[in-house]
């Protein structure tokens, strides 16, 4: 089993920045993909960014150039979010994928003045 520990959400003004770290705990396999997804009220959950164990990254078009995903090792990833705007307001979920998907409990990000 894998559990994901998230932190870093909160309230930020438009144009501001936030960092979302996530750590996987449990039976971690080194060859995995980790990432962040988000779900805004009334919308489906969508991909924000993912990173493979080899460092290959994928971003949603809406966050390219503003968000950066990185990882220190097989179990820790960091989403750096810059130039935040109101459309980034959502619950953000960390994801770990190896055969199955594992999800964190979610952390609220609110962008508002």
């Amino acid at each position: 089993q894998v559990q994901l520990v998230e932190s870093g959400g909160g309230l930020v003004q438009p144009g501001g920045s936030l960092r979302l770290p996530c750590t996987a705990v449990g039976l971690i396999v080194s060859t995995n993909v980790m990432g962040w997804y988000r779900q805004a009220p009334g919308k489906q959950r969508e991909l924000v960014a993912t990173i493979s164990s080899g460092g290959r990254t994928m971003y949603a078009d809406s966050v390219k150039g503003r968000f950066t995903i990185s990882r220190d090792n097989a179990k820790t990833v960091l989403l750096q979010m810059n130039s935040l705007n109101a459309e980034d307001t959502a619950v953000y979920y960390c994801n770990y994928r190896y055969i199955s998907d594992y999800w964190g409990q979610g952390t609220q990000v609110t962008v508002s003045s």
Side-chain angles (χ1 to χ4, degrees):
Q1 288 292 330
V2 175
Q3 293 182 326
L4 299 172
V5 180
E6 307 158 330
S7 62
L11 173 65
V12 63
Q13 292 187 343
S17 298
L18 281 176
R19 301 170 76 238
L20 299 185
C22 174
T23 299
V25 180
L27 296 177
I28 307 303
V29 177
S30 60
T31 54
N32 61 60
V33 177
M34 293 186 68
W36 284 92
Y37 291 68
R38 67 187 181 188
Q39 187 167 16
K43 295 186 177 181
Q44 291 186 335
R45 189 173 298 187
E46 63 177 6
L47 177 146
V48 177
T50 62
I51 184 167
S52 71
S53 55
R56 179 173 295 180
T57 57
M58 180 181 296
Y59 294 92
D61 287 343
S62 60
V63 307
K64 285 180 180 177
R66 299 187 298 122
F67 292 11
T68 301
I69 192 167
S70 61
R71 64 189 305 168
D72 291 335
N73 48 47
K75 60 181 182 179
T76 303
V77 294
L78 175 67
L79 183 67
Q80 176 67 46
M81 305 187 294
N82 299 327
S83 302
L84 286 160
N85 58 58
E87 288 70 40
D88 296 316
T89 295
V91 178
Y92 284 68
Y93 297 91
C94 183
N95 172 265
Y96 170 98
R97 178 173 298 165
Y98 178 77
I99 299 178
S100 299
D101 278 310
Y102 298 86
W103 297 94
Q105 78 282 1
T107 184
Q108 177 70 47
V109 171
T110 302
V111 184
S112 176
S113 56

